Amino acid sequence: MFKKLIIILLALVLVSCKDFSSNQFTLKVLNPEELTQSSTLKLKLLNPKDFSIDSLKLKNWESNETLASNSVFELQLSEQKLGVNSISVEVFSEGESVEVKTSFTVYNNKKPQLYTYNIVNEYPHDIEAYTQGLEFYKDTLYESTGLRGKSSLRKVNYKTGEIYKKVNLDQFYFGEGLTIFNEKIIQLTYQSNEGLIYNLDMEKIGKFKYNASKEGWGLTHDHQWLYKSDGSTKIWRLDQETFEEVDYIQAVTHSAVLNRLNELEYINGKIYANTYLKDGIVIINPETGAVEGLIDLRGLKKKVTQHDQLDVLNGIAFNKNTEQLFVTGKNWDKLFEIELIKK
């Protein structure tokens, strides 16, 4: 009986020794708090069970170099995207290999410029409008509103608040951000996995599916891309013809990766974004994701009629012809023209 027990124990030891799998290793970032694009990433493979390692090879990196198995290895981050990145190492041992992964965050190397605001003008805004998207086309304001059963697309006289035209969305849609390009109005919906396409007469002429981005939040464009937020840390670049997600940026400050970016507006080469539930706007470099500015809009909400359905700041519109900047909120009865002041 004793011999049988010894044999069983030896078998268990041998089996455990052969448990060569990724969960036996940890790829540790040694300097996670200080990483920018001018930094050197320091990594070490932890091997607590002391497996015999023949070699290590970098994966999903610009080079697939072979690494020393028992030392700290250093990688330059000058070409890495801002935000959360992943890296993995393939571990080779006695004819077998496993892949060990980890992630690290690259922060912007500058603090954002801080702004406050001055109110230039106040205009009437529909208190029933749960504003999700706001954009000028020439001198006319277009607005997308949300909530199921109340969602709409509107064409508005911003000076008087008069609604020139209104299209109600189907009951199951929750309207979200919008933008206008190539004489088409593009309107997102929230969780229906669809964007809606209209002509300038606000007649629906098509729709498209989301793929990598799971929800519709904010939408804007430049001369090359559509930019779409989905509530995550990502702002997706969409092909303007196919609407496919090509890649993404992440909005990154010197100390944080931002999420819940809502209504978007492209202004003079930058993306301006509301952050859901925050009384402010972030200014983002669309090439890198670097957050270059923070606009403190606290106090605006107190200047509108207070009521039970009053909700958060949301809605940014820039009139290119006049260089005027406008903001509003969900169920606000005012549209504010503001100018920015550096702090």
Side-chain angles (χ1 to χ4, degrees), residues 46-76:
L46 303 183
N47 179 15
K49 292 193 176 180
D50 200 26
F51 281 93
S52 173
I53 297 175
D54 298 329
S55 63
L56 305 175
K57 183 170 286 189
L58 275 178
K59 305 279 286 185
N60 66 323
W61 199 258
E62 61 266 20
S63 65
N64 292 329
E65 59 185 294
T66 300
L67 307 165
S69 62
N70 60 350
S71 63
V72 174
F73 41 100
E74 300 183 350
L75 302 169
Q76 301 301 314

mmCIF file of all heavy atoms in Angstrom, residues 46-76:
data_model
loop_
_atom_site.group_PDB
_atom_site.id
_atom_site.type_symbol
_atom_site.label_atom_id
_atom_site.label_comp_id
_atom_site.label_asym_id
_atom_site.label_seq_id
_atom_site.Cartn_x
_atom_site.Cartn_y
_atom_site.Cartn_z
ATOM 1 N N LEU A 46 8.559 36.518 -15.238
ATOM 2 C CA LEU A 46 8.664 35.833 -13.954
ATOM 3 C C LEU A 46 8.377 34.351 -14.164
ATOM 4 O O LEU A 46 7.370 33.981 -14.787
ATOM 5 C CB LEU A 46 7.685 36.431 -12.943
ATOM 6 C CG LEU A 46 7.821 37.946 -12.690
ATOM 7 C CD1 LEU A 46 6.844 38.384 -11.607
ATOM 8 C CD2 LEU A 46 9.246 38.322 -12.334
ATOM 9 N N ASN A 47 9.241 33.517 -13.619
ATOM 10 C CA ASN A 47 9.198 32.069 -13.833
ATOM 11 C C ASN A 47 9.309 31.379 -12.471
ATOM 12 O O ASN A 47 10.326 30.768 -12.142
ATOM 13 C CB ASN A 47 10.356 31.685 -14.767
ATOM 14 C CG ASN A 47 10.439 30.206 -15.045
ATOM 15 O OD1 ASN A 47 9.499 29.445 -14.788
ATOM 16 N ND2 ASN A 47 11.576 29.771 -15.581
ATOM 17 N N PRO A 48 8.241 31.475 -11.635
ATOM 18 C CA PRO A 48 8.353 31.004 -10.245
ATOM 19 C C PRO A 48 8.622 29.505 -10.112
ATOM 20 O O PRO A 48 9.178 29.068 -9.097
ATOM 21 C CB PRO A 48 6.999 31.388 -9.639
ATOM 22 C CG PRO A 48 6.079 31.544 -10.799
ATOM 23 C CD PRO A 48 6.907 32.046 -11.920
ATOM 24 N N LYS A 49 8.226 28.697 -11.080
ATOM 25 C CA LYS A 49 8.468 27.254 -10.997
ATOM 26 C C LYS A 49 9.784 26.847 -11.644
ATOM 27 O O LYS A 49 10.085 25.651 -11.754
ATOM 28 C CB LYS A 49 7.303 26.491 -11.615
ATOM 29 C CG LYS A 49 6.019 26.636 -10.777
ATOM 30 C CD LYS A 49 4.965 25.641 -11.203
ATOM 31 C CE LYS A 49 3.748 25.735 -10.283
ATOM 32 N NZ LYS A 49 2.686 24.782 -10.674
ATOM 33 N N ASP A 50 10.520 27.861 -12.090
ATOM 34 C CA ASP A 50 11.874 27.648 -12.591
ATOM 35 C C ASP A 50 11.920 26.640 -13.737
ATOM 36 O O ASP A 50 12.742 25.723 -13.757
ATOM 37 C CB ASP A 50 12.799 27.205 -11.454
ATOM 38 C CG ASP A 50 14.262 27.454 -11.800
ATOM 39 O OD1 ASP A 50 14.522 28.358 -12.617
ATOM 40 O OD2 ASP A 50 15.125 26.739 -11.259
ATOM 41 N N PHE A 51 11.025 26.821 -14.724
ATOM 42 C CA PHE A 51 11.087 26.002 -15.928
ATOM 43 C C PHE A 51 12.380 26.291 -16.675
ATOM 44 O O PHE A 51 12.876 27.424 -16.675
ATOM 45 C CB PHE A 51 9.908 26.312 -16.851
ATOM 46 C CG PHE A 51 8.622 25.663 -16.441
ATOM 47 C CD1 PHE A 51 7.726 26.338 -15.631
ATOM 48 C CD2 PHE A 51 8.297 24.381 -16.869
ATOM 49 C CE1 PHE A 51 6.538 25.761 -15.251
ATOM 50 C CE2 PHE A 51 7.109 23.790 -16.494
ATOM 51 C CZ PHE A 51 6.216 24.470 -15.679
ATOM 52 N N SER A 52 12.890 25.285 -17.322
ATOM 53 C CA SER A 52 14.045 25.473 -18.182
ATOM 54 C C SER A 52 13.589 26.185 -19.456
ATOM 55 O O SER A 52 12.718 25.691 -20.178
ATOM 56 C CB SER A 52 14.662 24.120 -18.532
ATOM 57 O OG SER A 52 15.683 24.274 -19.485
ATOM 58 N N ILE A 53 14.147 27.363 -19.735
ATOM 59 C CA ILE A 53 13.728 28.156 -20.889
ATOM 60 C C ILE A 53 14.854 28.204 -21.906
ATOM 61 O O ILE A 53 15.982 28.577 -21.580
ATOM 62 C CB ILE A 53 13.334 29.580 -20.450
ATOM 63 C CG1 ILE A 53 12.119 29.532 -19.499
ATOM 64 C CG2 ILE A 53 13.014 30.456 -21.652
ATOM 65 C CD1 ILE A 53 11.740 30.879 -18.936
ATOM 66 N N ASP A 54 14.530 27.833 -23.127
ATOM 67 C CA ASP A 54 15.523 27.879 -24.199
ATOM 68 C C ASP A 54 15.685 29.290 -24.749
ATOM 69 O O ASP A 54 16.802 29.768 -24.954
ATOM 70 C CB ASP A 54 15.112 26.931 -25.324
ATOM 71 C CG ASP A 54 15.051 25.487 -24.844
ATOM 72 O OD1 ASP A 54 15.837 25.136 -23.928
ATOM 73 O OD2 ASP A 54 14.213 24.721 -25.358
ATOM 74 N N SER A 55 14.547 29.960 -25.002
ATOM 75 C CA SER A 55 14.606 31.319 -25.541
ATOM 76 C C SER A 55 13.251 31.993 -25.397
ATOM 77 O O SER A 55 12.237 31.333 -25.131
ATOM 78 C CB SER A 55 15.024 31.305 -27.021
ATOM 79 O OG SER A 55 14.049 30.624 -27.792
ATOM 80 N N LEU A 56 13.265 33.294 -25.580
ATOM 81 C CA LEU A 56 12.046 34.113 -25.590
ATOM 82 C C LEU A 56 12.013 34.903 -26.889
ATOM 83 O O LEU A 56 13.056 35.338 -27.384
ATOM 84 C CB LEU A 56 12.034 35.099 -24.416
ATOM 85 C CG LEU A 56 12.202 34.550 -23.003
ATOM 86 C CD1 LEU A 56 12.276 35.711 -22.014
ATOM 87 C CD2 LEU A 56 11.032 33.641 -22.650
ATOM 88 N N LYS A 57 10.813 35.129 -27.407
ATOM 89 C CA LYS A 57 10.692 35.935 -28.620
ATOM 90 C C LYS A 57 9.516 36.894 -28.475
ATOM 91 O O LYS A 57 8.422 36.507 -28.073
ATOM 92 C CB LYS A 57 10.495 35.039 -29.839
ATOM 93 C CG LYS A 57 10.443 35.810 -31.164
ATOM 94 C CD LYS A 57 10.481 34.889 -32.364
ATOM 95 C CE LYS A 57 11.881 34.320 -32.567
ATOM 96 N NZ LYS A 57 11.998 33.589 -33.851
ATOM 97 N N LEU A 58 9.750 38.169 -28.812
ATOM 98 C CA LEU A 58 8.689 39.167 -28.763
ATOM 99 C C LEU A 58 7.631 38.891 -29.820
ATOM 100 O O LEU A 58 7.945 38.490 -30.939
ATOM 101 C CB LEU A 58 9.264 40.559 -29.016
ATOM 102 C CG LEU A 58 9.854 41.324 -27.840
ATOM 103 C CD1 LEU A 58 10.410 42.646 -28.334
ATOM 104 C CD2 LEU A 58 8.814 41.554 -26.760
ATOM 105 N N LYS A 59 6.355 39.135 -29.459
ATOM 106 C CA LYS A 59 5.249 39.022 -30.410
ATOM 107 C C LYS A 59 4.565 40.386 -30.505
ATOM 108 O O LYS A 59 4.756 41.244 -29.662
ATOM 109 C CB LYS A 59 4.230 37.978 -29.931
ATOM 110 C CG LYS A 59 4.842 36.616 -29.655
ATOM 111 C CD LYS A 59 5.032 35.808 -30.912
ATOM 112 C CE LYS A 59 3.734 35.280 -31.435
ATOM 113 N NZ LYS A 59 3.908 34.378 -32.592
ATOM 114 N N ASN A 60 3.737 40.554 -31.519
ATOM 115 C CA ASN A 60 2.976 41.789 -31.794
ATOM 116 C C ASN A 60 3.755 43.066 -31.464
ATOM 117 O O ASN A 60 3.279 43.982 -30.822
ATOM 118 C CB ASN A 60 1.606 41.783 -31.102
ATOM 119 C CG ASN A 60 1.656 41.823 -29.575
ATOM 120 O OD1 ASN A 60 2.517 41.220 -28.958
ATOM 121 N ND2 ASN A 60 0.715 42.528 -28.967
ATOM 122 N N TRP A 61 4.973 43.121 -31.922
ATOM 123 C CA TRP A 61 5.867 44.271 -31.750
ATOM 124 C C TRP A 61 6.502 44.544 -33.086
ATOM 125 O O TRP A 61 6.455 43.700 -33.994
ATOM 126 C CB TRP A 61 6.911 43.962 -30.672
ATOM 127 C CG TRP A 61 7.579 45.176 -30.093
ATOM 128 C CD1 TRP A 61 8.821 45.655 -30.389
ATOM 129 C CD2 TRP A 61 7.045 46.058 -29.115
ATOM 130 N NE1 TRP A 61 9.091 46.776 -29.653
ATOM 131 C CE2 TRP A 61 8.014 47.059 -28.853
ATOM 132 C CE3 TRP A 61 5.833 46.118 -28.423
ATOM 133 C CZ2 TRP A 61 7.812 48.102 -27.955
ATOM 134 C CZ3 TRP A 61 5.635 47.143 -27.511
ATOM 135 C CH2 TRP A 61 6.619 48.120 -27.294
ATOM 136 N N GLU A 62 7.113 45.722 -33.244
ATOM 137 C CA GLU A 62 7.693 46.041 -34.547
ATOM 138 C C GLU A 62 8.832 45.106 -34.929
ATOM 139 O O GLU A 62 9.164 44.952 -36.102
ATOM 140 C CB GLU A 62 8.181 47.502 -34.580
ATOM 141 C CG GLU A 62 9.254 47.846 -33.570
ATOM 142 C CD GLU A 62 8.670 48.412 -32.284
ATOM 143 O OE1 GLU A 62 7.467 48.190 -32.015
ATOM 144 O OE2 GLU A 62 9.433 49.057 -31.548
ATOM 145 N N SER A 63 9.452 44.475 -33.939
ATOM 146 C CA SER A 63 10.478 43.479 -34.227
ATOM 147 C C SER A 63 10.186 42.224 -33.416
ATOM 148 O O SER A 63 9.666 42.306 -32.311
ATOM 149 C CB SER A 63 11.872 44.017 -33.875
ATOM 150 O OG SER A 63 11.983 44.242 -32.493
ATOM 151 N N ASN A 64 10.495 41.071 -33.985
ATOM 152 C CA ASN A 64 10.300 39.794 -33.291
ATOM 153 C C ASN A 64 11.639 39.261 -32.789
ATOM 154 O O ASN A 64 12.010 38.126 -33.040
ATOM 155 C CB ASN A 64 9.645 38.769 -34.232
ATOM 156 C CG ASN A 64 8.224 39.164 -34.572
ATOM 157 O OD1 ASN A 64 7.542 39.779 -33.768
ATOM 158 N ND2 ASN A 64 7.794 38.824 -35.773
ATOM 159 N N GLU A 65 12.355 40.103 -32.068
ATOM 160 C CA GLU A 65 13.704 39.732 -31.661
ATOM 161 C C GLU A 65 13.692 38.665 -30.564
ATOM 162 O O GLU A 65 12.758 38.545 -29.782
ATOM 163 C CB GLU A 65 14.455 40.976 -31.177
ATOM 164 C CG GLU A 65 13.800 41.693 -30.010
ATOM 165 C CD GLU A 65 14.534 42.972 -29.656
ATOM 166 O OE1 GLU A 65 15.688 42.862 -29.207
ATOM 167 O OE2 GLU A 65 13.958 44.052 -29.843
ATOM 168 N N THR A 66 14.759 37.909 -30.527
ATOM 169 C CA THR A 66 14.950 36.902 -29.480
ATOM 170 C C THR A 66 15.574 37.582 -28.264
ATOM 171 O O THR A 66 16.455 38.425 -28.395
ATOM 172 C CB THR A 66 15.865 35.773 -29.981
ATOM 173 O OG1 THR A 66 15.249 35.170 -31.119
ATOM 174 C CG2 THR A 66 16.062 34.721 -28.907
ATOM 175 N N LEU A 67 15.102 37.207 -27.072
ATOM 176 C CA LEU A 67 15.500 37.878 -25.842
ATOM 177 C C LEU A 67 16.204 36.923 -24.897
ATOM 178 O O LEU A 67 15.967 35.709 -24.936
ATOM 179 C CB LEU A 67 14.263 38.454 -25.137
ATOM 180 C CG LEU A 67 13.369 39.357 -25.976
ATOM 181 C CD1 LEU A 67 12.030 39.551 -25.296
ATOM 182 C CD2 LEU A 67 14.045 40.705 -26.201
ATOM 183 N N ALA A 68 17.020 37.471 -24.042
ATOM 184 C CA ALA A 68 17.626 36.666 -22.976
ATOM 185 C C ALA A 68 16.543 36.256 -21.992
ATOM 186 O O ALA A 68 15.658 37.039 -21.650
ATOM 187 C CB ALA A 68 18.714 37.472 -22.274
ATOM 188 N N SER A 69 16.586 35.042 -21.512
ATOM 189 C CA SER A 69 15.477 34.481 -20.736
ATOM 190 C C SER A 69 15.461 34.898 -19.282
ATOM 191 O O SER A 69 14.440 34.788 -18.613
ATOM 192 C CB SER A 69 15.520 32.957 -20.816
ATOM 193 O OG SER A 69 16.722 32.464 -20.247
ATOM 194 N N ASN A 70 16.553 35.394 -18.776
ATOM 195 C CA ASN A 70 16.620 35.629 -17.333
ATOM 196 C C ASN A 70 16.935 37.069 -16.963
ATOM 197 O O ASN A 70 17.417 37.353 -15.874
ATOM 198 C CB ASN A 70 17.675 34.710 -16.705
ATOM 199 C CG ASN A 70 19.055 34.954 -17.286
ATOM 200 O OD1 ASN A 70 19.183 35.674 -18.269
ATOM 201 N ND2 ASN A 70 20.064 34.347 -16.689
ATOM 202 N N SER A 71 16.671 37.991 -17.873
ATOM 203 C CA SER A 71 17.040 39.374 -17.596
ATOM 204 C C SER A 71 15.872 40.314 -17.881
ATOM 205 O O SER A 71 14.890 39.944 -18.513
ATOM 206 C CB SER A 71 18.248 39.778 -18.444
ATOM 207 O OG SER A 71 17.908 39.727 -19.815
ATOM 208 N N VAL A 72 16.000 41.548 -17.419
ATOM 209 C CA VAL A 72 15.044 42.601 -17.754
ATOM 210 C C VAL A 72 15.310 43.036 -19.190
ATOM 211 O O VAL A 72 16.453 43.248 -19.575
ATOM 212 C CB VAL A 72 15.221 43.808 -16.801
ATOM 213 C CG1 VAL A 72 14.330 44.961 -17.227
ATOM 214 C CG2 VAL A 72 14.920 43.396 -15.370
ATOM 215 N N PHE A 73 14.257 43.106 -19.995
ATOM 216 C CA PHE A 73 14.480 43.595 -21.350
ATOM 217 C C PHE A 73 13.761 44.924 -21.529
ATOM 218 O O PHE A 73 12.719 45.189 -20.936
ATOM 219 C CB PHE A 73 14.095 42.587 -22.438
ATOM 220 C CG PHE A 73 12.837 41.817 -22.221
ATOM 221 C CD1 PHE A 73 11.664 42.207 -22.863
ATOM 222 C CD2 PHE A 73 12.804 40.689 -21.410
ATOM 223 C CE1 PHE A 73 10.504 41.485 -22.690
ATOM 224 C CE2 PHE A 73 11.637 39.983 -21.228
ATOM 225 C CZ PHE A 73 10.480 40.367 -21.861
ATOM 226 N N GLU A 74 14.373 45.782 -22.338
ATOM 227 C CA GLU A 74 13.951 47.167 -22.475
ATOM 228 C C GLU A 74 13.548 47.449 -23.919
ATOM 229 O O GLU A 74 14.236 47.054 -24.852
ATOM 230 C CB GLU A 74 15.082 48.102 -22.042
ATOM 231 C CG GLU A 74 15.500 47.890 -20.589
ATOM 232 C CD GLU A 74 16.574 48.863 -20.147
ATOM 233 O OE1 GLU A 74 17.115 49.572 -21.023
ATOM 234 O OE2 GLU A 74 16.859 48.935 -18.947
ATOM 235 N N LEU A 75 12.412 48.161 -24.060
ATOM 236 C CA LEU A 75 11.872 48.459 -25.380
ATOM 237 C C LEU A 75 11.523 49.940 -25.460
ATOM 238 O O LEU A 75 10.913 50.486 -24.544
ATOM 239 C CB LEU A 75 10.620 47.624 -25.655
ATOM 240 C CG LEU A 75 10.796 46.109 -25.574
ATOM 241 C CD1 LEU A 75 9.441 45.425 -25.608
ATOM 242 C CD2 LEU A 75 11.672 45.601 -26.703
ATOM 243 N N GLN A 76 11.898 50.582 -26.550
ATOM 244 C CA GLN A 76 11.585 51.988 -26.749
ATOM 245 C C GLN A 76 10.125 52.154 -27.197
ATOM 246 O O GLN A 76 9.617 51.359 -27.988
ATOM 247 C CB GLN A 76 12.518 52.595 -27.799
ATOM 248 C CG GLN A 76 13.991 52.508 -27.447
ATOM 249 C CD GLN A 76 14.318 53.195 -26.135
ATOM 250 O OE1 GLN A 76 13.868 54.315 -25.887
ATOM 251 N NE2 GLN A 76 15.107 52.540 -25.296
#
